[in-house]
Amino acid sequence: MLVLAICFSSSSVNAALITFTDRASFEAALATSVLEDFESLGTTSTSQNLGTSVSFGDVTIANPGNVWATAGFGATTVQVGDQNNRDTLLTLAPGYNALGMDMGLLFSGGTINVILKDVLNNTLLSQGLSVTDNNNLGTASTTFFGFISDSADLQSLTLLSGGFPTIDNLIIGTTEKIPEPGMLSLFAMGLFFLRRFKMSDKV
């Protein structure tokens, strides 16, 4: 009887990324999730300086020109973003392979250039995302982007400067993971040797 052992080399398997533009579909794919809507900041003025780095649970948002919270400039909800034209870095604590949020630009629609990396420092995404004005964030006209890595957990998302990127309703989560290539290889080898062992008992 022919026994086939299937082995995968991690060097030949590329990390895959699933991108969502619909929040409901993104959330339906998650096994666990945590939402941060920034409303706890209670911003009553046009803007609030949060410093160069601020943490919201397992997400840290950093910007060398300061992270700002705003409920002005047309915003309908409290949002977090850049007001000094510097790159904004979102870093996740270990254990999350899903990240999503409403995205906008402070004064008008346009493009946010982003770089998404996993914990192995692989660049999963590096491109421009078309978004609306920030006054649509949190409404039915919002621009949503969600990302799920089907291999390594996510590490960071950089929002490159230009147009003053703003985010709201940030969500991190986990999905059912696909086994790592090395684990698939060990599993297949285990099945092979178990079969050989059983066959030798019958001789």
Side-chain angles (χ1 to χ4, degrees):
M1 181 177 181
L2 177 64
V3 178
L4 181 63
I6 303 174
C7 300
F8 294 88
S9 168
S10 59
S11 62
S12 65
V13 177
N14 294 323
L17 182 72
I18 305 169
T19 301
F20 296 79
T21 56
D22 176 69
R23 177 178 288 272
S25 299
F26 173 73
E27 292 183 340
L30 303 182
T32 65
S33 64
V34 179
L35 172 68
E36 175 56 63
D37 61 11
F38 307 119
E39 297 302 316
S40 62
L41 292 173
T43 302
T44 56
S45 60
T46 301
S47 59
Q48 177 184 353
N49 188 338
L50 303 177
T52 57
S53 179
V54 58
S55 293
F56 299 93
D58 285 340
V59 178
T60 298
I61 304 176
N63 186 303
N66 294 323
V67 180
W68 292 80
T70 181
F73 303 107
T76 58
T77 62
V78 179
Q79 305 162 10
V80 169
D82 162 44
Q83 291 184 22
N84 285 310
N85 210 28
R86 306 288 291 275
D87 296 349
T88 300
L89 176 67
L90 283 71
T91 305
L92 281 66
Y96 297 98
N97 72 319
L99 171 67
M101 69 201 76
D102 296 330
M103 292 185 184
L105 293 173
L106 200 58
F107 299 110
S108 65
T111 300
I112 298 179
N113 294 304
V114 304
I115 300 173
L116 180 67
K117 292 190 175 185
D118 66 17
V119 292
L120 303 177
N121 209 37
N122 295 315
T123 298
L124 303 181
L125 182 71
S126 179
Q127 70 179 58
L129 303 178
S130 180
V131 302
T132 62
D133 191 294
N134 83 309
N135 61 11
N136 290 317
L137 271 64
T139 74
S141 300
T142 193
T143 305
F144 174 83
F145 284 98
F147 310 102
I148 294 177
S149 168
D150 73 353
S151 53
D153 289 334
L154 297 177
Q155 173 179 269
S156 65
L157 177 71
T158 302
L159 309 176
L160 300 182
S161 62
F164 307 104
T166 306
I167 64 172
D168 197 5
N169 300 310
L170 176 72
I171 187 168
I172 56 176
T174 62
T175 62
E176 295 297 330
K177 297 287 189 64
I178 296 175
E180 296 289 338
M183 293 301 294
L184 288 172
S185 176
L186 290 173
F187 180 70
M189 290 176 63
L191 290 177
F192 175 78
F193 287 113
L194 179 61
R195 178 65 179 165
R196 287 286 300 270
F197 178 75
K198 287 185 177 179
M199 289 179 66
S200 64
D201 281 349
K202 294 180 181 179
V203 177

